[in-house]
Each structure stands twice: as structure tokens, then as C-alpha cells.
Amino acid sequence: MLHGYFYIFWFPEYLKNARHFSMASIGKFGWIPFMVAGLGNLLGGWLCGLLLKCGWPVTLARKASVTFFAALMLTAIPAVLVADVRLSIGLVSIAMAGYTGSLAIMLTYPSDVFPKNLVGSVWGLASMGAGFGGMIFTLITGWVVDHYSYVPVFIGFGILPLICATIIWTLLGPLEKYALRDERQASS
């Protein structure tokens, strides 16, 4: 979720300050990564669904899909380093598709991991945490940009998804646990 806040609030500012875009140019080109992000939502569900249709277990299909899209978010790093602004926008677009693709899959995790009666509460707490995290990271991003540049911020937002994927692989157990139990209870 933090990536969403970053791109929504900081990408236009980045285009203005680092790439010297006018407001008119931001309006002409700043929407492109957000359109591609919309496609990432569809691709996230599609890839995970494809893996499930190919017989992959739920845990492996979801975690592998999230990891694939997390790797796409690494393109944020060269986006801030390349000289050609068109390439930079293209790389940010790929990173945003990675963000929305992984988020589309992670939205299913609470229903996979928790009993049905807790899913809404889990998402409420997660959304609250994302909001507070967004506030904190917005402050940190502003401070880093003011004191250094956009480079460390883009590097950080390129690496954080891989850290998240590592946590998912190492700390989040099997995803089928409650989903299968709820299905068995419904069929009995």
C-alpha cells in the first residue's frame, strides 16, 4: 500500500522537480503509469489464476505471483537513474503495474489465512496500518528528497517489495489453511 501513496503523491512532484515538467506536461504524461497500474490489477489476478489452473497449489501460486510482481517493482531504481524521461516514465509504469499486480493477489491473503468471521477485521486493521504507514513514509520521503534527492527514495521503493516477498515466503505459512477448512465446513 505504501507504494500507492508514494506514486500518487510523489510522482507528479518528481516529474516537476527532477524532470522539470511543466504542469501541462505533467497533465499530458503523468497519467501513463496510472493507466498501466490499472492493467497490473488485471495481470495479477490473471497470472495467479493461470498458475492455479496449471495445478499449482494455492500457496505456491499466490506467493510466486506476488514475488514476480515485486520483482517488477525493481524498475523504480533505474527509472530515477536514466537520462531519458520517456524511459523513466516507462520504468515507473512497469513498477506501478508490479505494485498493483502484487496488491491484487495480496488482497486474497486474509481470506486464505484467517477464518471468514475475521477477514473484515483483518482488512480493517491492515488498511489502518497502511494509512499510518503512508503518513510516516510520506514524511520520510519528503525529508529524504529535501536532504538528498529522489534517488534513495526510488531505490528504497524498488527494494521494499522484495523484502515484503521475502517476509511472505518465510513468515506466512500455508495459505490454504482456513480457506480449505471453511470449504469443508460449508460442504458438510
Side-chain angles (χ1 to χ4, degrees):
M1 298 269 199
L2 298 175
H3 284 78
Y5 290 113
F6 171 67
Y7 290 117
I8 289 168
F9 296 124
W10 288 98
F11 185 65
E13 196 70 25
Y14 165 74
L15 290 176
K16 179 182 174 201
N17 294 328
R19 298 295 181 163
H20 310 293
F21 272 39
S22 66
M23 290 302 286
S25 294
I26 293 170
K28 283 181 187 175
F29 303 106
W31 60 270
I32 294 169
F34 295 94
M35 182 200 64
V36 176
L39 296 173
N41 281 310
L42 299 172
L43 292 172
W46 174 82
L47 176 60
C48 189
L50 177 68
L51 295 177
L52 290 168
K53 284 180 187 175
C54 290
W56 289 40
V58 171
T59 299
L60 188 57
R62 295 214 205 293
K63 289 181 179 184
S65 297
V66 165
T67 303
F68 171 78
F69 286 103
L72 289 181
M73 287 187 265
L74 282 169
T75 61
I77 297 170
V80 74
L81 301 173
V82 298
D84 186 343
V85 72
R86 294 168 297 185
L87 182 56
S88 178
I89 290 173
L91 291 167
V92 166
S93 297
I94 294 168
M96 287 181 68
Y99 161 69
T100 56
S102 64
L103 183 60
I105 300 156
M106 287 193 293
L107 288 171
T108 65
Y109 283 2
S111 63
D112 289 335
V113 176
F114 295 98
K116 284 181 187 179
N117 63 326
L118 294 178
V119 172
S121 296
V122 168
W123 262 115
L125 290 170
S127 296
M128 182 182 70
F132 284 122
M135 289 187 307
I136 292 167
F137 272 87
T138 296
L139 291 171
I140 293 169
T141 299
W143 186 87
V144 171
V145 168
D146 281 348
H147 288 85
Y148 300 100
S149 71
Y150 284 94
V151 173
V153 174
F154 274 75
I155 290 171
F157 279 102
I159 293 171
L160 275 175
L162 291 181
I163 294 170
C164 176
T166 302
I167 291 169
I168 287 169
W169 280 100
T170 57
L171 299 181
L172 185 62
L175 298 175
E176 302 98 344
K177 182 170 48 176
Y178 287 105
L180 290 175
R181 189 190 75 189
D182 289 341
E183 283 178 22
R184 282 188 212 118
Q185 286 176 349
S187 65
S188 7

